[in-house]
Amino acid sequence: MAITLRQSDADFEKRFAAFLTTKREISPDVDATVRAIIDDVRSRGDAALIDYSRKFDRADLGTLGIAVSRADIDQAYKDADPATVEALRFARDRIHSHHARQMPRDDRYVDPIGVELGSRWTAVEAVGLYVPGGTASYPSSVLMNAVPAKVAGVERIVIVVPASGGVINPLVLVAADIAGVSEIYRVGGAQAVAALAYGTETIRPVAKIVGPGNAYVAAAKRQVFGTVGIDMIAGPSEVLIVADSDNDPDWLAADLLAQAEHDVSAQSILITNDAAFGKSVEAAVERQIKLLPRAETAAASWRDFGAVIVVDDFDAAIPLIDRIAAEHLELAVDDAEALLGRIRNAGAIFVGKHTPEVIGDYVGGSNHVLPTARSARFSSGLTVLDFVKRSSILKLGPDQLRELAPAAIALAKAEGLDAHARSVAIRLNM
Amino acid sequence: MAITLRQSDADFEKRFAAFLTTKREISPDVDATVRAIIDDVRSRGDAALIDYSRKFDRADLGTLGIAVSRADIDQAYKDADPATVEALRFARDRIHSHHARQMPRDDRYVDPIGVELGSRWTAVEAVGLYVPGGTASYPSSVLMNAVPAKVAGVERIVIVVPASGGVINPLVLVAADIAGVSEIYRVGGAQAVAALAYGTETIRPVAKIVGPGNAYVAAAKRQVFGTVGIDMIAGPSEVLIVADSDNDPDWLAADLLAQAEHDVSAQSILITNDAAFGKSVEAAVERQIKLLPRAETAAASWRDFGAVIVVDDFDAAIPLIDRIAAEHLELAVDDAEALLGRIRNAGAIFVGKHTPEVIGDYVGGSNHVLPTARSARFSSGLTVLDFVKRSSILKLGPDQLRELAPAAIALAKAEGLDAHARSVAIRLNM
């Protein structure tokens, strides 16, 4: 049973604040182990990758090879269900179209005194994408990470994925191929992150590493940050559904459970203005849980972290929605557009009663890599912007330099930086 | 004496690669100390801030107050040189104009099958800006961090700055006021970062913390990351000047020294196609160093990390420029525009022979918070984008849901996520 919070209760603020700060996941401290693995990969290269893969993945890369070959990919297509391959292509095209609109434009202009200024965007040269093994090996996530990199113009898109028992999910290889990935290596864990950051005989280093992983992968990404760029560290996922009573409780229960089945630390929250409707959704959740193959996971998530919040009205819900700052926000209310306009913090917003969040996981076109654990207060989901970087441009002639010099020299001197002042003054014989 | 590398030498690649990986700064491990300070601020709030400020800054905040008052700011205006105040206003206006062009636009559109998609940008609610004390307390950096936040529409811009011996540089207070900062607190170090992240009785928490600081501040920012957003961790600064022999050696020497005077771990690099010209610049550096108040710092930086790289021609320089990926890049060559078009990695590019980097530090209009230590390969300087975040928007009607359903259900089932498949299917009675 999820908890119920009623805004009209006297202790609501206290309980809501406690609810917000509940830790859903404890990250084990694996820093020292990870540091040793990274050092080992830096000094022994491929040999270290082969040793760790034998130990952690029961995979003999000495025989299989570190690199996945074209023949391996062709075989994966044969092993995959053709309808699923077609669905991946359909998803790729929709993701591509949407992300193509995100490409930032260069800007170059001349200001009123003749100074030329500008922003120029260029693609990151090479990006590594970590793909988890086992049950968390999602081909849809391969598309969501690789397609924006491709749109950005990244030349080398490199995937690392552990081959548990020597095997990689064929749909991961197919998705990588469909997305235009250039190289795939059957390595996982901290050793894969180290290889991407520092390079080995087989794997050339990249400039940025993205993609989700376990505690070892997350710790390795933090440790190599600076040498390479990294994306955000993903936390447990969550959905917030805001719904009036004019909804089918079964639909919303299905949406809450789609989140809960991910992980025992996932979180599903319903905000409604009708306590009785909230009860019907809870009843529907209990009925549907039993039908799920992942019933145990979903039940634990709903029991430990699920919540039904009964608000006085949707006006009063807005500050709560912004404080929760959910990764996924469904607005299943009549005037969803009006509510949308008043909300500040959410990773992705699903508007209206016919937009289940799951569409965004696969084929909506928008990205499913989104800020978790309240970080939508300060960060965004993955976009093309994560694979480009900006150089600012400044160009003066002698006249502009003369015009800007006095203020620059005054500020440099006020900051005690005489060589700064000289660098301007010397050009003007000042 | 800086080192000299000649591209025509047989061991050039080896020496250049070693030069690139030279560590210029060793960060002391202060994680445990910082963790204790953060915990203490979380449990004791203002009382902890008062204790640490007495200990580390010799400042009695019990008497002075934690918050800087309007009267303090008015007094700062009286204490400041009026010409410098005017220069700060001039800089503020130029920074504002340039950054206003960076504001991302919302995008909302309907795709060919009737799905509505979009990106919506909103400002981060509250941002904390760390300003160092002592000699590194630069009013120009206050403008460079606060003005983009203001342009983005951040409602609360909060400054923390240590009051060494009870005193804050009046120009910092003036710059903050000119930039539109809403609150200023006289606290520094890890304790200030903790207060911004978790709040105290006096300081309400913010959603993101930016600005440079010492090893304690950097460690504190890393530790609170996740609870709040942070900007990049700034490393030692560098300039790369690419110059032909048709330049005044004294101008370029002045530019190299403007970088070197910052810090003993700053780095100044000259790339030229003319070895003799390189020697003249080196001679000019040696002459000018003696004239500087910060001669000792500049001399140490130039001796330990300075470099003159003699290339065969500028075509051959391009891959070197991209591998150095300098924070600041000056192109002092005849056809600077042609060279600019071929370079991928640089934080800020100063085009032509009349654009000293120092103009960008103060009054060019572009930002001086830039990626250091080769991180321009994967990251950008500070922009308005650092103070906004994006929500993606998806909106379907029943027809669109029906059209997207088969591919979504196929992918969900292929990933073993049955509740995901159900969430779509249940709406279509499938």
Side-chain angles (χ1 to χ4, degrees), chain A residues 377-378, chain B residues 124 126-129 156-158 195-199 203-209 227-229:
Chain A
R377 291 172 299 128
F378 53 78
Chain B
V124 175
V127 167
L129 163 54
R156 277 182 69 220
I157 305 175
V158 182
L196 289 171
Y198 295 104
I203 305 179
R204 276 185 299 146
V206 299
K208 183 163 185 172
I209 302 175
T227 299
V228 296

mmCIF file with all atom_site columns, all heavy atoms in Angstrom, chain A residues 377-378, chain B residues 124 126-129 156-158 195-199 203-209 227-229:
data_model
loop_
_atom_site.group_PDB
_atom_site.id
_atom_site.type_symbol
_atom_site.label_atom_id
_atom_site.label_alt_id
_atom_site.label_comp_id
_atom_site.label_asym_id
_atom_site.label_entity_id
_atom_site.label_seq_id
_atom_site.pdbx_PDB_ins_code
_atom_site.Cartn_x
_atom_site.Cartn_y
_atom_site.Cartn_z
_atom_site.occupancy
_atom_site.B_iso_or_equiv
_atom_site.pdbx_formal_charge
_atom_site.auth_seq_id
_atom_site.auth_comp_id
_atom_site.auth_asym_id
_atom_site.auth_atom_id
_atom_site.pdbx_PDB_model_num
ATOM 1   N N   . ARG A 1 377 ? 14.742 20.342 -11.131 1.00 0.00 ? 377 ARG A N   1
ATOM 2   C CA  . ARG A 1 377 ? 14.812 21.727 -10.641 1.00 0.00 ? 377 ARG A CA  1
ATOM 3   C C   . ARG A 1 377 ? 15.968 22.492 -11.283 1.00 0.00 ? 377 ARG A C   1
ATOM 4   O O   . ARG A 1 377 ? 15.963 23.714 -11.360 1.00 0.00 ? 377 ARG A O   1
ATOM 5   C CB  . ARG A 1 377 ? 14.988 21.757 -9.123  1.00 0.00 ? 377 ARG A CB  1
ATOM 6   C CG  . ARG A 1 377 ? 13.755 21.273 -8.364  1.00 0.00 ? 377 ARG A CG  1
ATOM 7   C CD  . ARG A 1 377 ? 14.059 21.146 -6.872  1.00 0.00 ? 377 ARG A CD  1
ATOM 8   N NE  . ARG A 1 377 ? 15.112 20.185 -6.655  1.00 0.00 ? 377 ARG A NE  1
ATOM 9   C CZ  . ARG A 1 377 ? 16.216 20.405 -5.954  1.00 0.00 ? 377 ARG A CZ  1
ATOM 10  N NH1 . ARG A 1 377 ? 16.408 21.561 -5.371  1.00 0.00 ? 377 ARG A NH1 1
ATOM 11  N NH2 . ARG A 1 377 ? 17.136 19.476 -5.828  1.00 0.00 ? 377 ARG A NH2 1
ATOM 12  N N   . PHE A 1 378 ? 17.015 21.741 -11.711 1.00 0.00 ? 378 PHE A N   1
ATOM 13  C CA  . PHE A 1 378 ? 18.201 22.435 -12.236 1.00 0.00 ? 378 PHE A CA  1
ATOM 14  C C   . PHE A 1 378 ? 18.787 21.786 -13.488 1.00 0.00 ? 378 PHE A C   1
ATOM 15  O O   . PHE A 1 378 ? 19.801 22.260 -13.989 1.00 0.00 ? 378 PHE A O   1
ATOM 16  C CB  . PHE A 1 378 ? 19.277 22.546 -11.153 1.00 0.00 ? 378 PHE A CB  1
ATOM 17  C CG  . PHE A 1 378 ? 19.631 21.228 -10.495 1.00 0.00 ? 378 PHE A CG  1
ATOM 18  C CD1 . PHE A 1 378 ? 20.461 20.333 -11.134 1.00 0.00 ? 378 PHE A CD1 1
ATOM 19  C CD2 . PHE A 1 378 ? 19.105 20.882 -9.242  1.00 0.00 ? 378 PHE A CD2 1
ATOM 20  C CE1 . PHE A 1 378 ? 20.791 19.126 -10.538 1.00 0.00 ? 378 PHE A CE1 1
ATOM 21  C CE2 . PHE A 1 378 ? 19.419 19.661 -8.643  1.00 0.00 ? 378 PHE A CE2 1
ATOM 22  C CZ  . PHE A 1 378 ? 20.266 18.783 -9.295  1.00 0.00 ? 378 PHE A CZ  1
ATOM 23  N N   . VAL B 1 124 ? 15.952 28.321 -13.741 1.00 0.00 ? 124 VAL B N   1
ATOM 24  C CA  . VAL B 1 124 ? 16.176 27.736 -12.417 1.00 0.00 ? 124 VAL B CA  1
ATOM 25  C C   . VAL B 1 124 ? 15.663 28.761 -11.391 1.00 0.00 ? 124 VAL B C   1
ATOM 26  O O   . VAL B 1 124 ? 15.868 29.962 -11.548 1.00 0.00 ? 124 VAL B O   1
ATOM 27  C CB  . VAL B 1 124 ? 17.678 27.449 -12.215 1.00 0.00 ? 124 VAL B CB  1
ATOM 28  C CG1 . VAL B 1 124 ? 17.965 26.944 -10.814 1.00 0.00 ? 124 VAL B CG1 1
ATOM 29  C CG2 . VAL B 1 124 ? 18.173 26.452 -13.260 1.00 0.00 ? 124 VAL B CG2 1
ATOM 30  N N   . ALA B 1 126 ? 16.380 29.421 -8.143  1.00 0.00 ? 126 ALA B N   1
ATOM 31  C CA  . ALA B 1 126 ? 17.310 30.127 -7.248  1.00 0.00 ? 126 ALA B CA  1
ATOM 32  C C   . ALA B 1 126 ? 18.714 29.595 -7.490  1.00 0.00 ? 126 ALA B C   1
ATOM 33  O O   . ALA B 1 126 ? 18.922 28.386 -7.560  1.00 0.00 ? 126 ALA B O   1
ATOM 34  C CB  . ALA B 1 126 ? 16.906 29.900 -5.794  1.00 0.00 ? 126 ALA B CB  1
ATOM 35  N N   . VAL B 1 127 ? 19.658 30.501 -7.622  1.00 0.00 ? 127 VAL B N   1
ATOM 36  C CA  . VAL B 1 127 ? 21.045 30.136 -7.911  1.00 0.00 ? 127 VAL B CA  1
ATOM 37  C C   . VAL B 1 127 ? 21.957 30.761 -6.860  1.00 0.00 ? 127 VAL B C   1
ATOM 38  O O   . VAL B 1 127 ? 21.770 31.920 -6.477  1.00 0.00 ? 127 VAL B O   1
ATOM 39  C CB  . VAL B 1 127 ? 21.443 30.621 -9.328  1.00 0.00 ? 127 VAL B CB  1
ATOM 40  C CG1 . VAL B 1 127 ? 22.942 30.537 -9.544  1.00 0.00 ? 127 VAL B CG1 1
ATOM 41  C CG2 . VAL B 1 127 ? 20.696 29.831 -10.398 1.00 0.00 ? 127 VAL B CG2 1
ATOM 42  N N   . GLY B 1 128 ? 22.925 29.994 -6.389  1.00 0.00 ? 128 GLY B N   1
ATOM 43  C CA  . GLY B 1 128 ? 23.946 30.519 -5.483  1.00 0.00 ? 128 GLY B CA  1
ATOM 44  C C   . GLY B 1 128 ? 25.240 30.724 -6.237  1.00 0.00 ? 128 GLY B C   1
ATOM 45  O O   . GLY B 1 128 ? 25.630 29.879 -7.048  1.00 0.00 ? 128 GLY B O   1
ATOM 46  N N   . LEU B 1 129 ? 25.887 31.847 -5.985  1.00 0.00 ? 129 LEU B N   1
ATOM 47  C CA  . LEU B 1 129 ? 27.153 32.155 -6.655  1.00 0.00 ? 129 LEU B CA  1
ATOM 48  C C   . LEU B 1 129 ? 28.248 32.278 -5.603  1.00 0.00 ? 129 LEU B C   1
ATOM 49  O O   . LEU B 1 129 ? 28.158 33.128 -4.708  1.00 0.00 ? 129 LEU B O   1
ATOM 50  C CB  . LEU B 1 129 ? 26.986 33.460 -7.442  1.00 0.00 ? 129 LEU B CB  1
ATOM 51  C CG  . LEU B 1 129 ? 28.244 34.183 -7.899  1.00 0.00 ? 129 LEU B CG  1
ATOM 52  C CD1 . LEU B 1 129 ? 29.169 33.274 -8.696  1.00 0.00 ? 129 LEU B CD1 1
ATOM 53  C CD2 . LEU B 1 129 ? 27.853 35.399 -8.743  1.00 0.00 ? 129 LEU B CD2 1
ATOM 54  N N   . ARG B 1 156 ? 15.930 34.312 -7.638  1.00 0.00 ? 156 ARG B N   1
ATOM 55  C CA  . ARG B 1 156 ? 16.833 34.567 -6.500  1.00 0.00 ? 156 ARG B CA  1
ATOM 56  C C   . ARG B 1 156 ? 18.260 34.290 -6.933  1.00 0.00 ? 156 ARG B C   1
ATOM 57  O O   . ARG B 1 156 ? 18.603 33.157 -7.246  1.00 0.00 ? 156 ARG B O   1
ATOM 58  C CB  . ARG B 1 156 ? 16.512 33.624 -5.337  1.00 0.00 ? 156 ARG B CB  1
ATOM 59  C CG  . ARG B 1 156 ? 15.372 34.049 -4.440  1.00 0.00 ? 156 ARG B CG  1
ATOM 60  C CD  . ARG B 1 156 ? 15.215 33.015 -3.311  1.00 0.00 ? 156 ARG B CD  1
ATOM 61  N NE  . ARG B 1 156 ? 16.327 33.051 -2.367  1.00 0.00 ? 156 ARG B NE  1
ATOM 62  C CZ  . ARG B 1 156 ? 16.902 31.983 -1.811  1.00 0.00 ? 156 ARG B CZ  1
ATOM 63  N NH1 . ARG B 1 156 ? 16.487 30.765 -2.111  1.00 0.00 ? 156 ARG B NH1 1
ATOM 64  N NH2 . ARG B 1 156 ? 17.888 32.130 -0.961  1.00 0.00 ? 156 ARG B NH2 1
ATOM 65  N N   . ILE B 1 157 ? 19.092 35.311 -6.948  1.00 0.00 ? 157 ILE B N   1
ATOM 66  C CA  . ILE B 1 157 ? 20.526 35.140 -7.204  1.00 0.00 ? 157 ILE B CA  1
ATOM 67  C C   . ILE B 1 157 ? 21.232 35.495 -5.895  1.00 0.00 ? 157 ILE B C   1
ATOM 68  O O   . ILE B 1 157 ? 21.149 36.624 -5.423  1.00 0.00 ? 157 ILE B O   1
ATOM 69  C CB  . ILE B 1 157 ? 21.018 36.031 -8.356  1.00 0.00 ? 157 ILE B CB  1
ATOM 70  C CG1 . ILE B 1 157 ? 20.185 35.783 -9.616  1.00 0.00 ? 157 ILE B CG1 1
ATOM 71  C CG2 . ILE B 1 157 ? 22.503 35.788 -8.632  1.00 0.00 ? 157 ILE B CG2 1
ATOM 72  C CD1 . ILE B 1 157 ? 20.526 36.707 -10.780 1.00 0.00 ? 157 ILE B CD1 1
ATOM 73  N N   . VAL B 1 158 ? 21.877 34.505 -5.305  1.00 0.00 ? 158 VAL B N   1
ATOM 74  C CA  . VAL B 1 158 ? 22.403 34.627 -3.950  1.00 0.00 ? 158 VAL B CA  1
ATOM 75  C C   . VAL B 1 158 ? 23.925 34.547 -4.007  1.00 0.00 ? 158 VAL B C   1
ATOM 76  O O   . VAL B 1 158 ? 24.473 33.604 -4.579  1.00 0.00 ? 158 VAL B O   1
ATOM 77  C CB  . VAL B 1 158 ? 21.883 33.463 -3.077  1.00 0.00 ? 158 VAL B CB  1
ATOM 78  C CG1 . VAL B 1 158 ? 22.385 33.585 -1.648  1.00 0.00 ? 158 VAL B CG1 1
ATOM 79  C CG2 . VAL B 1 158 ? 20.361 33.401 -3.123  1.00 0.00 ? 158 VAL B CG2 1
ATOM 80  N N   . ALA B 1 195 ? 25.479 25.663 3.184   1.00 0.00 ? 195 ALA B N   1
ATOM 81  C CA  . ALA B 1 195 ? 24.332 26.527 3.481   1.00 0.00 ? 195 ALA B CA  1
ATOM 82  C C   . ALA B 1 195 ? 23.472 26.733 2.236   1.00 0.00 ? 195 ALA B C   1
ATOM 83  O O   . ALA B 1 195 ? 22.237 26.685 2.304   1.00 0.00 ? 195 ALA B O   1
ATOM 84  C CB  . ALA B 1 195 ? 24.813 27.872 4.028   1.00 0.00 ? 195 ALA B CB  1
ATOM 85  N N   . LEU B 1 196 ? 24.116 26.939 1.087   1.00 0.00 ? 196 LEU B N   1
ATOM 86  C CA  . LEU B 1 196 ? 23.364 27.129 -0.156  1.00 0.00 ? 196 LEU B CA  1
ATOM 87  C C   . LEU B 1 196 ? 22.605 25.855 -0.547  1.00 0.00 ? 196 LEU B C   1
ATOM 88  O O   . LEU B 1 196 ? 21.489 25.919 -1.062  1.00 0.00 ? 196 LEU B O   1
ATOM 89  C CB  . LEU B 1 196 ? 24.314 27.517 -1.304  1.00 0.00 ? 196 LEU B CB  1
ATOM 90  C CG  . LEU B 1 196 ? 24.919 28.922 -1.251  1.00 0.00 ? 196 LEU B CG  1
ATOM 91  C CD1 . LEU B 1 196 ? 25.994 29.076 -2.331  1.00 0.00 ? 196 LEU B CD1 1
ATOM 92  C CD2 . LEU B 1 196 ? 23.843 29.999 -1.410  1.00 0.00 ? 196 LEU B CD2 1
ATOM 93  N N   . ALA B 1 197 ? 23.207 24.697 -0.307  1.00 0.00 ? 197 ALA B N   1
ATOM 94  C CA  . ALA B 1 197 ? 22.576 23.442 -0.723  1.00 0.00 ? 197 ALA B CA  1
ATOM 95  C C   . ALA B 1 197 ? 21.442 23.029 0.206   1.00 0.00 ? 197 ALA B C   1
ATOM 96  O O   . ALA B 1 197 ? 20.404 22.554 -0.244  1.00 0.00 ? 197 ALA B O   1
ATOM 97  C CB  . ALA B 1 197 ? 23.619 22.329 -0.810  1.00 0.00 ? 197 ALA B CB  1
ATOM 98  N N   . TYR B 1 198 ? 21.656 23.202 1.523   1.00 0.00 ? 198 TYR B N   1
ATOM 99  C CA  . TYR B 1 198 ? 20.687 22.659 2.479   1.00 0.00 ? 198 TYR B CA  1
ATOM 100 C C   . TYR B 1 198 ? 19.908 23.725 3.235   1.00 0.00 ? 198 TYR B C   1
ATOM 101 O O   . TYR B 1 198 ? 18.908 23.412 3.877   1.00 0.00 ? 198 TYR B O   1
ATOM 102 C CB  . TYR B 1 198 ? 21.413 21.734 3.469   1.00 0.00 ? 198 TYR B CB  1
ATOM 103 C CG  . TYR B 1 198 ? 21.997 20.515 2.792   1.00 0.00 ? 198 TYR B CG  1
ATOM 104 C CD1 . TYR B 1 198 ? 23.350 20.411 2.537   1.00 0.00 ? 198 TYR B CD1 1
ATOM 105 C CD2 . TYR B 1 198 ? 21.160 19.478 2.365   1.00 0.00 ? 198 TYR B CD2 1
ATOM 106 C CE1 . TYR B 1 198 ? 23.883 19.299 1.885   1.00 0.00 ? 198 TYR B CE1 1
ATOM 107 C CE2 . TYR B 1 198 ? 21.679 18.366 1.716   1.00 0.00 ? 198 TYR B CE2 1
ATOM 108 C CZ  . TYR B 1 198 ? 23.039 18.290 1.482   1.00 0.00 ? 198 TYR B CZ  1
ATOM 109 O OH  . TYR B 1 198 ? 23.545 17.200 0.840   1.00 0.00 ? 198 TYR B OH  1
ATOM 110 N N   . GLY B 1 199 ? 20.395 24.969 3.190   1.00 0.00 ? 199 GLY B N   1
ATOM 111 C CA  . GLY B 1 199 ? 19.707 26.033 3.902   1.00 0.00 ? 199 GLY B CA  1
ATOM 112 C C   . GLY B 1 199 ? 20.073 26.083 5.370   1.00 0.00 ? 199 GLY B C   1
ATOM 113 O O   . GLY B 1 199 ? 20.523 25.085 5.956   1.00 0.00 ? 199 GLY B O   1
ATOM 114 N N   . ILE B 1 203 ? 19.784 31.530 5.555   1.00 0.00 ? 203 ILE B N   1
ATOM 115 C CA  . ILE B 1 203 ? 19.984 31.344 4.110   1.00 0.00 ? 203 ILE B CA  1
ATOM 116 C C   . ILE B 1 203 ? 19.036 30.252 3.600   1.00 0.00 ? 203 ILE B C   1
ATOM 117 O O   . ILE B 1 203 ? 19.133 29.096 4.002   1.00 0.00 ? 203 ILE B O   1
ATOM 118 C CB  . ILE B 1 203 ? 21.447 30.956 3.816   1.00 0.00 ? 203 ILE B CB  1
ATOM 119 C CG1 . ILE B 1 203 ? 22.415 32.002 4.408   1.00 0.00 ? 203 ILE B CG1 1
ATOM 120 C CG2 . ILE B 1 203 ? 21.668 30.792 2.316   1.00 0.00 ? 203 ILE B CG2 1
ATOM 121 C CD1 . ILE B 1 203 ? 23.896 31.708 4.189   1.00 0.00 ? 203 ILE B CD1 1
ATOM 122 N N   . ARG B 1 204 ? 18.100 30.639 2.730   1.00 0.00 ? 204 ARG B N   1
ATOM 123 C CA  . ARG B 1 204 ? 17.237 29.622 2.133   1.00 0.00 ? 204 ARG B CA  1
ATOM 124 C C   . ARG B 1 204 ? 18.008 28.856 1.060   1.00 0.00 ? 204 ARG B C   1
ATOM 125 O O   . ARG B 1 204 ? 18.841 29.447 0.373   1.00 0.00 ? 204 ARG B O   1
ATOM 126 C CB  . ARG B 1 204 ? 16.011 30.282 1.496   1.00 0.00 ? 204 ARG B CB  1
ATOM 127 C CG  . ARG B 1 204 ? 14.882 30.549 2.487   1.00 0.00 ? 204 ARG B CG  1
ATOM 128 C CD  . ARG B 1 204 ? 13.651 31.090 1.751   1.00 0.00 ? 204 ARG B CD  1
ATOM 129 N NE  . ARG B 1 204 ? 13.949 32.345 1.072   1.00 0.00 ? 204 ARG B NE  1
ATOM 130 C CZ  . ARG B 1 204 ? 13.403 32.716 -0.097  1.00 0.00 ? 204 ARG B CZ  1
ATOM 131 N NH1 . ARG B 1 204 ? 12.559 31.922 -0.726  1.00 0.00 ? 204 ARG B NH1 1
ATOM 132 N NH2 . ARG B 1 204 ? 13.710 33.883 -0.640  1.00 0.00 ? 204 ARG B NH2 1
ATOM 133 N N   . PRO B 1 205 ? 17.740 27.559 0.886   1.00 0.00 ? 205 PRO B N   1
ATOM 134 C CA  . PRO B 1 205 ? 18.515 26.794 -0.106  1.00 0.00 ? 205 PRO B CA  1
ATOM 135 C C   . PRO B 1 205 ? 18.246 27.254 -1.536  1.00 0.00 ? 205 PRO B C   1
ATOM 136 O O   . PRO B 1 205 ? 17.189 27.804 -1.834  1.00 0.00 ? 205 PRO B O   1
ATOM 137 C CB  . PRO B 1 205 ? 18.048 25.347 0.109   1.00 0.00 ? 205 PRO B CB  1
ATOM 138 C CG  . PRO B 1 205 ? 16.757 25.437 0.833   1.00 0.00 ? 205 PRO B CG  1
ATOM 139 C CD  . PRO B 1 205 ? 16.773 26.714 1.617   1.00 0.00 ? 205 PRO B CD  1
ATOM 140 N N   . VAL B 1 206 ? 19.224 26.988 -2.411  1.00 0.00 ? 206 VAL B N   1
ATOM 141 C CA  . VAL B 1 206 ? 19.085 27.290 -3.836  1.00 0.00 ? 206 VAL B CA  1
ATOM 142 C C   . VAL B 1 206 ? 19.021 25.959 -4.598  1.00 0.00 ? 206 VAL B C   1
ATOM 143 O O   . VAL B 1 206 ? 19.184 24.887 -4.009  1.00 0.00 ? 206 VAL B O   1
ATOM 144 C CB  . VAL B 1 206 ? 20.274 28.134 -4.343  1.00 0.00 ? 206 VAL B CB  1
ATOM 145 C CG1 . VAL B 1 206 ? 20.355 29.455 -3.604  1.00 0.00 ? 206 VAL B CG1 1
ATOM 146 C CG2 . VAL B 1 206 ? 21.591 27.356 -4.242  1.00 0.00 ? 206 VAL B CG2 1
ATOM 147 N N   . ALA B 1 207 ? 18.801 26.030 -5.913  1.00 0.00 ? 207 ALA B N   1
ATOM 148 C CA  . ALA B 1 207 ? 18.730 24.810 -6.722  1.00 0.00 ? 207 ALA B CA  1
ATOM 149 C C   . ALA B 1 207 ? 20.031 24.527 -7.467  1.00 0.00 ? 207 ALA B C   1
ATOM 150 O O   . ALA B 1 207 ? 20.266 23.413 -7.911  1.00 0.00 ? 207 ALA B O   1
ATOM 151 C CB  . ALA B 1 207 ? 17.572 24.915 -7.722  1.00 0.00 ? 207 ALA B CB  1
ATOM 152 N N   . LYS B 1 208 ? 20.891 25.539 -7.592  1.00 0.00 ? 208 LYS B N   1
ATOM 153 C CA  . LYS B 1 208 ? 22.149 25.350 -8.338  1.00 0.00 ? 208 LYS B CA  1
ATOM 154 C C   . LYS B 1 208 ? 23.213 26.275 -7.775  1.00 0.00 ? 208 LYS B C   1
ATOM 155 O O   . LYS B 1 208 ? 22.901 27.393 -7.370  1.00 0.00 ? 208 LYS B O   1
ATOM 156 C CB  . LYS B 1 208 ? 21.910 25.648 -9.824  1.00 0.00 ? 208 LYS B CB  1
ATOM 157 C CG  . LYS B 1 208 ? 23.131 25.412 -10.698 1.00 0.00 ? 208 LYS B CG  1
ATOM 158 C CD  . LYS B 1 208 ? 22.768 25.321 -12.175 1.00 0.00 ? 208 LYS B CD  1
ATOM 159 C CE  . LYS B 1 208 ? 24.022 24.964 -12.977 1.00 0.00 ? 208 LYS B CE  1
ATOM 160 N NZ  . LYS B 1 208 ? 23.726 24.674 -14.392 1.00 0.00 ? 208 LYS B NZ  1
ATOM 161 N N   . ILE B 1 209 ? 24.466 25.792 -7.737  1.00 0.00 ? 209 ILE B N   1
ATOM 162 C CA  . ILE B 1 209 ? 25.586 26.588 -7.216  1.00 0.00 ? 209 ILE B CA  1
ATOM 163 C C   . ILE B 1 209 ? 26.649 26.715 -8.295  1.00 0.00 ? 209 ILE B C   1
ATOM 164 O O   . ILE B 1 209 ? 27.069 25.719 -8.881  1.00 0.00 ? 209 ILE B O   1
ATOM 165 C CB  . ILE B 1 209 ? 26.193 25.929 -5.955  1.00 0.00 ? 209 ILE B CB  1
ATOM 166 C CG1 . ILE B 1 209 ? 25.115 25.772 -4.863  1.00 0.00 ? 209 ILE B CG1 1
ATOM 167 C CG2 . ILE B 1 209 ? 27.365 26.754 -5.428  1.00 0.00 ? 209 ILE B CG2 1
ATOM 168 C CD1 . ILE B 1 209 ? 25.592 25.024 -3.624  1.00 0.00 ? 209 ILE B CD1 1
ATOM 169 N N   . THR B 1 227 ? 21.899 16.977 -4.887  1.00 0.00 ? 227 THR B N   1
ATOM 170 C CA  . THR B 1 227 ? 20.949 17.764 -4.091  1.00 0.00 ? 227 THR B CA  1
ATOM 171 C C   . THR B 1 227 ? 20.695 19.087 -4.797  1.00 0.00 ? 227 THR B C   1
ATOM 172 O O   . THR B 1 227 ? 19.567 19.586 -4.848  1.00 0.00 ? 227 THR B O   1
ATOM 173 C CB  . THR B 1 227 ? 21.525 18.016 -2.677  1.00 0.00 ? 227 THR B CB  1
ATOM 174 O OG1 . THR B 1 227 ? 21.724 16.751 -2.054  1.00 0.00 ? 227 THR B OG1 1
ATOM 175 C CG2 . THR B 1 227 ? 20.599 18.876 -1.841  1.00 0.00 ? 227 THR B CG2 1
ATOM 176 N N   . VAL B 1 228 ? 21.757 19.682 -5.330  1.00 0.00 ? 228 VAL B N   1
ATOM 177 C CA  . VAL B 1 228 ? 21.661 20.880 -6.170  1.00 0.00 ? 228 VAL B CA  1
ATOM 178 C C   . VAL B 1 228 ? 22.491 20.631 -7.426  1.00 0.00 ? 228 VAL B C   1
ATOM 179 O O   . VAL B 1 228 ? 23.298 19.700 -7.470  1.00 0.00 ? 228 VAL B O   1
ATOM 180 C CB  . VAL B 1 228 ? 22.208 22.133 -5.444  1.00 0.00 ? 228 VAL B CB  1
ATOM 181 C CG1 . VAL B 1 228 ? 21.374 22.477 -4.226  1.00 0.00 ? 228 VAL B CG1 1
ATOM 182 C CG2 . VAL B 1 228 ? 23.675 21.946 -5.059  1.00 0.00 ? 228 VAL B CG2 1
ATOM 183 N N   . GLY B 1 229 ? 22.304 21.469 -8.437  1.00 0.00 ? 229 GLY B N   1
ATOM 184 C CA  . GLY B 1 229 ? 23.178 21.422 -9.600  1.00 0.00 ? 229 GLY B CA  1
ATOM 185 C C   . GLY B 1 229 ? 24.451 22.198 -9.324  1.00 0.00 ? 229 GLY B C   1
ATOM 186 O O   . GLY B 1 229 ? 24.481 23.055 -8.429  1.00 0.00 ? 229 GLY B O   1
#
